[in-house]
Amino acid sequence: MDEKIENKHSTGSVDTELARELNLFHLTMMGLGMMIGAGVFLGIGNAIFHAGPGGVVLTFSLNGLIALFTAMSYAELSSAIPKAGGAMHFARMGFGNGTGFIAGWMEWFASSIAGSMYSITFSIYTLRYFELLGLLEWVPFDFYILEKIVAVVVALFFIYINYRGASETGNIGAVMTLGQTIFMLLIGLAGIVVAVKDPGRLANFKPFLPKGWSALLVTMGFTYVAFEGYEVIAQAGDEAIDPRKNLPKAMIYSVVIVTFTYMAVSFAAVVAVKHGSVGTEQAVWEWIGSFKEKGFGEAVSRLIPFGNLLLTIAVIFASTSALNATIFSATRASFGLGREGMLPGIFAKVSKKTHTPWGALLLTGVIIIGVAVFLPTMDVASSASIMFLFLFFLVNICVIRIRWNLGEELTYGYIMPLFPLFPILAILSQGVLAVWLHHMSILAWIIAPLWIGAGFVLYFSYSKKRAKPQEHDLLVIDESAAPEGDEYRVMIPVANTDNALHLAVTTTLLCRRKKSRIKILHMLQVKGSIPLTNADEYLSEGKKSIIEAAEYLKPLFPITTTVRYCRNVARGIISTVIEKKVNLLIMGWHGKIKSSLFSMGSILDPVIAKAPCDIVILKDECKNKQFHRVLVPLFGSSNDALAMETAELLLFHEEGQLMLLNLYGKRKREDYSRNLFSRIVKNRSVEYSELPPEFSDSVEAILAASQGCDLAVVGIEGSSLFRMGRKTLTETIAAELRIPFALVKSSGRVEEWAKRIL
Amino acid sequence: MDTFWGIVILISVVVIIAALTLYSRNIINIISEKKYTNLREIKYNRSHGRKNRE
């Protein structure tokens, strides 16, 4: 019972609840079940026909490699964002609501149509075997109608199984998949045994690629549908036990198992038949290929006893477990959209009795049965493949964007090596396969854009207005006024009443020369377990600190006050800076370095690295002090001007001495500091004093020069984000400096532009 | 010639898949056991992991 963690989520008027019951074995089998569907049984014969005996093995091995690249992207994202909705949530976090909706929309359709294909495959193979046994002679109507009826019945049965709950989904699916995987591996093993006993059968591989290397692209595109199982694993994020560990493992294991199984099985199919034993002098690969989708069955029936019967049973297992998995996947995709408010509320409804999303399941069932009955399934299945490939493009782009933008904030259970090499390789290779699919079905290239177009219409007419904010969004809970005009926009994030007044006083000094508008911000961090609707209970402390600062600043500047709800304070501040186009960010710092992982703290480090604006950070010791001699180390960087300007503004009554320490050496001209002083310092009563460095080491020089000064204003040099345990120059100075100090970072125009875009 | 390059590709694919799988399994286990909370910690510990284990 300890492993059954309840996951509750409030969606306003609709409450949903899912129980965690799927372990690593269940998840891996779900992925395998989706992959070892009917596709491989139909695909091997066709692959041999198009690419020859060596080509079929190469096809499955290369497809497996490409699939593994995408599986690694899925694994990384699922470990960091383990929620029902899979690709939809990844796209939403990476690119926003619109792309997220389209991803979920494509996913729902693709999985549903695949379900239709599997139910019809089950029907065709079962009825054909019964027909072979002479058991269907009594049927009074068209065989085609009987196929449709059986397809509907089997679809209804598995819809009911899914309605019964996730545990049943996992257990029944796992047993079926295990059976078919073992059967496939036995076929592969039989092939190896036959080849060892009779090495002459290896001659069946000559010629290795009778139709050339380009034929591989045809077969890879056609059989790629057999590698799409990791999507269904991503969908189970809400129901997986220990999802950060089990989801990525299940994805990678399932792709690897299926790749080696396919390679073994396709090898076995080629060596199954001895040359000349089938009464023809045709090459073996030509003979197998001539049966196309039935070629695999013809070969295997000669490899093992009762081959036809066993193969029929295997196809039944394969199609039903794949049907089960696709129903699960399609339901969770539409449930995810419903839960986020992008589809009507019925999609988010969960049965109180079985804890399964009955609304999404019902509507998924309608599509599966409708398509199975009315549409040409193979063409629509091709369009499902194209949409799966579009989805995979998106996921591979998302993994890059999310790692770059949100990587510091997410909790990863897996990170891929050599990032971003593998997502880029996956994008390129799957692009080729998607284009190649048009050789197979023109209708697919009509249906897919139509469905996506319908998705866009639905999004802009319905979903956009109703989409609920995602967890990593910021929610403005209380805002007194929106910023306007072209003033110099200054933001001060206040943490508590202690630092609020201090920051307000400093802000007055720093902004007095400019026509400034001050934004006072309090970021309210709320843990994921607390419902959004209860967030206002935690507002009181934030409001007090805002009022404290606002009372001081209100007579001097136009101000706006904001309390923002967020999951991560650093990201909240950065997002507000971007959204409100802030020019200057003024923050306080307690001055303690608590972890070797951070230079100045888990909030300041990312803010310094990513906020696209000028930043001034004041150590708490600056509070209530008057400064007459201010040290400004000049590194010859873009921070020098801001450091000098800040130093001047912090001087008591704008009178005193600026002690400029030359640390730029020969990188700048000799009169650099004098010119900078003349250009930046407005008050002519401020004295200029230049200090030659007494030590070659910057830190020692600053420490020596700081004696006799009452404040230091130091530029932040270098990034602290990738320090990997090494102390940065700024961190060393901050740790050793014995006088109050302020740190500044200037954001150049190009840098600011790049940060805002990226 | 096709056979030669075909076998070379097959062996290469198998080796790459095996290497990526082993790497992935190890990194998942390490992250899970150490209870790292974010990318910074993972990267830091990956670069200093050997030293720390010693």
Side-chain angles (χ1 to χ4, degrees):
Chain A
M1 285 300 289
D2 292 342
E3 290 181 326
K4 294 186 177 183
I5 305 159
E6 293 295 309
N7 179 20
K8 296 184 177 181
H9 187 98
S10 173
T11 59
S13 59
V14 183
D15 286 323
T16 63
E17 182 179 306
L18 290 164
R20 293 192 182 276
E21 296 186 349
L22 301 175
N23 60 25
L24 177 60
F25 174 71
H26 287 133
L27 294 167
T28 308
M29 288 300 136
M30 278 170 63
L32 281 175
M34 183 106 167
M35 289 189 262
I36 307 182
V40 66
F41 294 100
L42 306 178
I44 286 180
N46 271 314
I48 291 174
F49 174 76
H50 285 288
V56 67
V57 185
L58 276 176
T59 293
F60 285 108
S61 59
L62 289 171
N63 266 349
L65 187 64
I66 296 170
L68 184 62
F69 295 160
T70 302
M72 286 161 66
S73 297
Y74 263 94
E76 178 170 317
L77 289 171
S78 296
S79 77
I81 314 161
K83 290 184 70 178
M88 185 198 81
H89 281 291
F90 309 152
R92 198 175 180 191
M93 285 191 72
F95 294 95
N97 282 343
T99 312
F101 174 80
I102 293 299
W105 181 249
M106 290 194 299
E107 199 175 320
W108 181 37
F109 184 69
S111 297
S112 300
I113 302 302
S116 307
M117 185 181 76
Y118 293 135
S119 60
I120 287 188
T121 306
F122 172 91
S123 172
I124 290 171
Y125 273 82
T126 311
L127 291 177
R128 278 188 179 165
Y129 190 68
F130 286 164
E131 195 180 26
L132 199 68
L133 297 176
L135 298 176
L136 296 179
E137 290 170 1
W138 56 272
V139 177
F141 45 80
D142 193 343
F143 194 73
Y144 176 77
I145 296 172
L146 187 61
E147 279 182 3
K148 297 290 182 187
I149 291 171
V150 174
V152 170
V153 169
V154 74
L156 282 172
F157 175 73
F158 278 94
I159 289 166
Y160 174 72
I161 290 290
N162 274 265
Y163 170 72
R164 286 285 304 279
S167 177
E168 282 83 348
T169 306
N171 288 333
I172 288 185
V175 169
M176 288 182 171
T177 306
L178 191 63
Q180 81 196 40
T181 308
I182 289 171
F183 176 73
M184 298 286 272
L185 285 171
L186 285 175
I187 291 177
L189 190 65
I192 293 167
V193 170
V194 164
V196 169
K197 281 187 175 177
D198 182 6
R201 296 201 185 200
L202 292 175
N204 290 356
F205 281 98
K206 290 178 182 175
F208 198 75
L209 286 166
K211 298 187 181 178
W213 290 89
S214 62
L216 280 179
L217 281 179
V218 179
T219 52
M220 285 174 70
F222 177 77
T223 56
Y224 196 74
V225 69
F227 290 87
E228 291 171 341
Y230 30 78
E231 179 57 35
V232 74
I233 300 174
Q235 291 289 346
D238 274 345
E239 297 167 56
I241 297 166
D242 197 358
R244 292 188 197 285
K245 182 180 173 184
N246 287 335
L247 290 177
K249 273 191 175 178
M251 287 171 180
I252 289 164
Y253 288 172
S254 57
V255 170
V256 172
I257 291 170
V258 92
T259 303
F260 288 126
T261 304
Y262 289 165
M263 287 168 68
V265 164
S266 51
F267 172 85
V270 174
V271 299
V273 182
K274 191 168 184 174
H275 182 61
S277 67
V278 288
T280 172
E281 284 305 307
Q282 245 182 332
V284 169
W285 72 269
E286 284 180 311
W287 180 80
I288 297 172
S290 66
F291 292 97
K292 293 198 174 175
E293 58 268 18
K294 295 177 193 166
F296 179 62
E298 294 297 327
V300 169
S301 65
R302 284 157 178 79
L303 182 69
I304 52 175
F306 307 105
N308 272 324
L309 172 65
L310 290 176
L311 190 66
T312 306
I313 293 171
V315 171
I316 290 171
F317 269 107
S319 56
T320 49
S321 62
L323 173 61
N324 193 43
T326 47
I327 291 173
F328 183 91
S329 180
T331 304
R332 295 310 186 269
S334 53
F335 172 68
L337 289 174
R339 193 169 65 170
E340 302 296 341
M342 294 184 176
L343 286 178
I346 188 173
F347 284 89
K349 289 195 182 295
V350 173
S351 164
K352 287 180 182 172
K353 186 180 170 187
T354 61
H355 293 198
T356 49
W358 66 265
L361 185 58
L362 177 71
L363 293 161
T364 300
V366 168
I367 293 183
I368 291 173
I369 291 170
V371 169
V373 172
F374 296 110
L375 294 181
T377 309
M378 288 309 289
D379 276 329
V380 184
S382 294
S383 72
S385 292
I386 288 172
M387 274 190 287
F388 271 125
L389 286 167
F390 286 165
L391 206 61
F392 296 159
F393 295 157
L394 204 56
V395 170
N396 281 303
I397 294 168
C398 282
V399 77
I400 297 173
R401 189 174 166 102
I402 288 175
R403 171 92 81 97
W404 281 348
N405 284 3
L406 302 171
E408 295 294 332
E409 299 156 38
L410 294 171
T411 304
Y412 282 91
Y414 167 70
I415 56 169
M416 73 177 78
L418 301 176
F419 182 85
L421 173 68
F422 296 120
I424 290 171
L425 287 177
I427 289 167
L428 295 176
S429 50
Q430 286 169 348
V432 173
L433 296 185
V435 170
W436 218 257
L437 268 174
H438 98 274
H439 291 290
M440 294 173 54
S441 171
I442 295 294
L443 187 60
W445 271 94
I446 296 170
I447 290 172
L450 276 179
W451 181 260
I452 295 170
F456 275 111
V457 171
L458 184 64
Y459 176 74
F460 286 109
S461 62
Y462 177 89
S463 313
K464 192 177 179 181
K465 300 170 203 160
R466 293 171 175 82
K468 292 189 171 78
Q470 54 182 307
E471 279 192 9
H472 283 262
D473 274 350
L474 298 168
L475 294 181
V476 179
I477 291 174
D478 179 20
E479 180 155 16
S480 58
E484 54 188 30
D486 57 352
E487 302 107 326
Y488 187 66
R489 289 177 288 272
V490 180
M491 187 168 90
I492 51 171
V494 291
N496 49 53
T497 48
D498 282 347
N499 84 338
L501 190 59
H502 164 52
L503 286 176
V505 172
T506 310
T507 302
T508 310
L509 295 173
L510 294 178
C511 299
R512 62 178 180 266
R513 282 192 191 152
K514 289 178 179 165
K515 186 186 171 191
S516 305
R517 173 176 286 274
I518 314 295
K519 181 175 190 65
I520 308 167
L521 177 78
H522 176 74
M523 297 304 305
L524 181 63
Q525 187 174 22
V526 181
K527 298 293 179 191
S529 56
I530 298 172
L532 312 186
T533 46
N534 295 347
D536 54 354
E537 291 176 15
Y538 305 90
L539 276 175
S540 57
E541 176 68 15
K543 278 193 169 175
K544 274 185 204 166
S545 58
I546 281 185
I547 290 167
E548 188 95 18
E551 288 299 318
Y552 186 87
L553 290 169
K554 202 179 279 179
L556 305 170
F557 302 98
I559 63 168
T560 57
T561 56
T562 308
V563 177
R564 285 197 157 212
Y565 157 87
C566 69
R567 299 291 184 199
N568 179 289
V569 174
R571 177 165 165 74
I573 293 171
I574 295 164
S575 302
T576 312
V577 165
I578 294 168
E579 189 183 315
K580 304 296 178 188
K581 296 179 179 169
V582 169
N583 301 108
L584 175 65
L585 179 66
I586 302 172
M587 298 180 74
W589 184 41
H590 48 61
K592 296 167 198 156
I593 299 165
K594 293 178 181 173
S595 165
S596 61
L597 291 173
F598 296 102
S599 173
M600 297 174 66
S602 58
I603 296 174
L604 280 180
D605 276 8
V607 168
I608 291 168
K610 294 180 180 175
C613 66
D614 292 344
I615 302 169
V616 175
I617 297 165
L618 294 143
K619 199 177 174 189
D620 284 353
E621 289 170 7
C622 300
K623 208 183 291 182
N624 304 323
K625 295 246 171 54
Q626 296 172 356
F627 305 115
H628 302 279
R629 282 166 64 88
V630 181
L631 172 67
V632 185
L634 299 177
F635 293 92
S637 71
S638 59
N639 294 325
D640 291 348
L642 181 62
M644 199 177 285
E645 185 184 1
T646 306
E648 185 204 356
L649 291 169
L650 291 176
L651 280 172
F652 184 63
H653 288 172
E654 295 189 43
E655 289 182 358
Q657 202 172 13
L658 290 189
M659 314 294 288
L660 306 179
L661 178 63
N662 175 352
L663 295 175
Y664 49 83
K666 294 180 179 176
R667 278 174 291 166
K668 299 282 179 184
R669 287 168 46 173
E670 282 183 12
D671 57 353
Y672 170 71
S673 57
R674 170 63 73 179
N675 287 343
L676 200 64
F677 183 85
S678 311
R679 187 160 55 86
I680 300 295
V681 177
K682 309 286 183 219
N683 194 331
R684 293 301 154 204
S685 60
V686 174
E687 292 178 34
Y688 170 87
S689 177
E690 187 172 345
L691 299 171
E694 293 178 15
F695 298 91
S696 57
D697 180 73
S698 298
V699 178
E700 288 181 10
I702 292 170
L703 293 178
S706 68
Q707 291 171 2
C709 295
D710 41 27
L711 174 71
V713 180
V714 185
I716 299 172
E717 302 298 329
S719 171
S720 63
L721 271 187
F722 301 104
R723 54 199 278 281
M724 297 295 180
R726 295 184 300 275
K727 280 190 174 180
T728 61
L729 178 63
T730 309
E731 184 182 346
T732 311
I733 295 168
E736 299 193 17
L737 210 52
R738 294 288 168 259
I739 60 172
F741 63 88
L743 300 172
V744 299
K745 184 167 188 192
S746 174
S747 185
R749 280 180 183 275
V750 174
E751 185 187 351
E752 186 175 328
W753 174 83
K755 282 179 179 176
R756 284 184 193 277
I757 295 295
L758 294 174
Chain B
M1 207 57 183
D2 284 346
T3 309
F4 172 76
W5 286 113
I7 291 170
V8 167
I9 290 172
L10 271 176
I11 292 169
S12 306
V13 167
V14 169
V15 169
I16 293 169
I17 288 176
L20 288 175
T21 307
L22 285 176
Y23 170 87
S24 300
R25 184 178 141 274
N26 286 344
I27 194 79
I28 292 166
N29 286 341
I30 289 169
I31 292 170
S32 171
E33 284 163 16
K34 301 280 183 184
K35 306 286 180 198
Y36 300 144
T37 57
N38 62 29
L39 194 61
R40 178 194 293 265
E41 286 178 311
I42 295 167
K43 283 179 179 172
Y44 173 80
N45 282 285
R46 192 168 55 178
S47 63
H48 290 72
R50 187 176 301 163
K51 199 170 148 189
N52 289 345
R53 280 194 293 276
E54 285 169 1

